[in-house]
Amino acid sequence: MTKDIETAEQRGGEFSAKDYHDPPPAPLIDAEELTKWSFYRAVIAEFIATLLFLYVTVLTVIGYKVQTDPAKNTVDPDCGGVGILGIAWAFGGMIFILVYCTAGISGGHINPAVTFGLFVGRKVSLIRALMYMVAQCLGAICGCGLVKAFQKTYYNNYGGGANELQPGFNKGTGLGAEIIGTFVLVYTVFAATDPKRNARDSHVPVLAPLPIGFAVFMVHLATIPVTGTGINPARSFGAAVIYNKEKAWDDQWIFWVGPFIGAAAAAFYHQYILRAAAIKALGSFRSNA
């Protein structure tokens, strides 16, 4: 904190403020947002982005399963299709693209867990958070619906891209994997968009969507063998709605509870420990007293 504002003596008797500005906390309920076109434009952007995200990624997952099905024999036996690495690239790459495209409109959340984490960190209002989550879930349903419309037989025969706990793992392990994976993602989101970091490291060009996309990529590499990797409740919900099989619904709670816990933990860690928001608030209270 001592580096944020230098004293007048340190600046030769001339006061100079810190070179970055923390935006004020978002109001809990901001009814005025409902009167602005920019708000509805942002909601639409979240819907379309999540639709495109599910369309491309679920098609990739199903295509990989078709390619590696011995009965189909569509590829050389020595070639395993895109593999887990390719699936991880599809998810991480699409997040990079879509966050880049929508960040200036909606913030590029494309994930209810990210929205929830930013709400906990007081970056978005409750109204915006709820509307974003609804738009993301509807977009995910429509994206998976398009996949099924184009490849109904493959969609039904190869799992519909639905997230399910993989054989050999218990529900506690799956929940833990989702918590940690979402923590990595949401922590990256906070770090990549931190105004203090952008000001301090302004000599290093930082493209925020890039580390966020890489976080998604790395988490998928680690978590696909455990849960198929959710870390995005809308992604898991949309696939479960369209696929609509018992196993996908039985495990669905893991892909909501885990990401929300991980997102809340990441928001608390970044805002109240790394950025010392609690200490700053206490210092401000003492100064006023």
Side-chain angles (χ1 to χ4, degrees):
M1 289 179 63
T2 56
K3 293 183 179 180
D4 291 344
I5 302 178
E6 296 182 356
T7 63
E9 290 78 10
Q10 288 174 308
R11 294 292 183 95
E14 181 180 348
F15 176 81
S16 178
K18 58 188 179 182
D19 60 353
Y20 75 96
H21 299 282
D22 279 323
L28 179 61
I29 299 177
D30 187 4
E32 187 179 348
E33 285 187 314
L34 297 174
T35 65
K36 298 178 179 178
W37 162 243
S38 60
F39 172 73
Y40 295 101
R41 181 182 63 181
V43 172
I44 294 170
E46 287 293 310
F47 170 81
I48 295 297
T50 314
L51 183 156
L52 295 174
F53 176 61
L54 266 294
Y55 173 75
V56 171
T57 55
V58 170
L59 269 179
T60 302
V61 171
I62 293 174
Y64 163 68
K65 291 185 176 181
V66 172
Q67 288 175 325
T68 54
D69 184 354
K72 290 294 178 183
N73 219 9
T74 57
V75 294
D76 188 287
D78 295 330
C79 177
V82 297
I84 290 179
L85 184 64
I87 293 173
W89 270 121
F91 279 89
M94 279 303 292
I95 286 296
F96 167 72
I97 293 168
L98 294 170
V99 171
Y100 179 83
C101 292
T102 61
I105 300 171
S106 66
H109 298 190
I110 321 171
N111 184 337
V114 171
T115 300
F116 180 70
L118 292 173
F119 169 71
V120 171
R122 300 293 305 277
K123 303 296 185 182
V124 296
S125 69
L126 177 61
I127 292 176
R128 183 175 290 265
L130 291 176
M131 289 294 289
Y132 274 19
M133 290 180 190
V134 171
Q136 291 155 357
C137 288
L138 291 176
I141 292 171
C142 292
C144 290
L146 284 176
V147 176
K148 185 173 182 179
F150 292 161
Q151 297 189 0
K152 185 175 182 179
T153 301
Y154 286 162
Y155 187 91
N156 291 328
N157 291 344
Y158 294 96
N163 285 129
E164 298 175 355
L165 189 64
Q166 301 302 299
F169 297 95
N170 59 42
K171 294 185 184 297
T173 301
L175 181 63
E178 289 296 308
I179 291 173
I180 296 173
T182 311
F183 181 94
V184 172
L185 170 59
V186 178
Y187 175 36
T188 304
V189 170
F190 273 94
T193 59
D194 189 340
K196 182 176 181 178
R197 179 189 183 93
N198 292 338
R200 183 189 63 211
D201 300 335
S202 58
H203 61 288
V204 180
V206 177
L207 184 62
L210 185 58
I212 296 172
F214 262 106
V216 172
F217 167 69
M218 297 303 298
V219 170
H220 273 76
L221 287 181
T223 317
I224 284 176
V226 183
T227 62
T229 308
I231 67 171
N232 183 336
R235 176 259 184 275
S236 302
F237 180 71
V241 168
I242 301 300
Y243 186 54
N244 198 27
K245 300 295 183 181
E246 185 177 356
K247 174 64 172 172
W249 285 119
D250 286 345
D251 295 340
Q252 185 67 197
W253 68 272
I254 294 173
F255 302 104
W256 284 86
V257 175
F260 273 51
I261 293 175
F268 179 84
Y269 174 64
H270 185 270
Q271 292 295 98
Y272 297 100
I273 296 179
L274 297 186
R275 291 299 306 273
I279 296 176
K280 291 177 183 178
L282 180 61
S284 175
F285 173 78
R286 289 175 174 173
S287 298
N288 292 335

